[in-house]
Amino acid sequence: MNLYRRVLGEKFETLPETIQAAHGFEGQHCLTGKVEVRCSENIIVRLLLRLLKLPRPGADVTAKILLQEDGQGERWHREFGSDSFSSRVKPHRAKQGRIVETMGGVSAVIRLNVIPDGLQWNVESLSLLGLPLPRAIAPVTQATERQVDGLYRFEVSITLPLLGLLISYRGWLQPDSLPAEQRMK
């Protein structure tokens, strides 16, 4: 059984069709579409974005998300134009309805909430290199996936205390066939 069906249980079946299609795959899956990326103008934040290998700002940027199941969860590889970043997502060991997403040395425990038109991601805690980040200095993330006019739409915003916006991106995706030469190894 795939990751989101395991984590959400019966609630998975109540998700809109496009959200189920995005997360209901077995093996490997590709989503393509368009994204708009906004970032802070603060030079310190821009350096942090580069360090984290997050995408640069742009409008109407081609997006490709490659998803692959592994033994414990999924590997996500996102390509926004010429920028790319990856993460691993797995179910939380002890808490039902939660996933753990890890990118580099940062891990987030995320509660998935089914909402009428999609899915809302609520980051409950963050750790850096295994050490919990106090809420006073931790980034604040807001993320949703929705079905709008028959399309899978997503919106992610990450802000930093005292510094404001780190990055936000939003757009639409649809399932795409994945040629063998582009599959993740």
Side-chain angles (χ1 to χ4, degrees), residues 26 55 68 80 112 118 128 136 138 152 176 185:
E26 303 280 336
Q68 183 176 32
F80 292 174
L112 299 175
L128 177 63
Y152 169 95
D176 197 6
K185 306 292 184 226

Side-chain angles (χ1 to χ4, degrees), residues 6-27:
R6 281 187 285 164
V7 171
L8 294 172
E10 294 174 0
K11 293 179 182 177
F12 183 85
E13 302 304 325
T14 67
L15 290 169
E17 181 181 326
T18 60
I19 309 299
Q20 286 189 40
H23 294 295
F25 70 95
E26 303 280 336

Side-chain angles (χ1 to χ4, degrees), residues 111-136:
R111 184 179 69 243
L112 299 175
N113 290 326
V114 174
I115 57 177
D117 57 350
L119 196 58
Q120 184 175 38
W121 294 42
N122 294 304
V123 176
E124 293 185 331
S125 64
L126 286 167
S127 62
L128 177 63
L129 302 173
L131 301 172
L133 283 175
R135 285 202 183 266

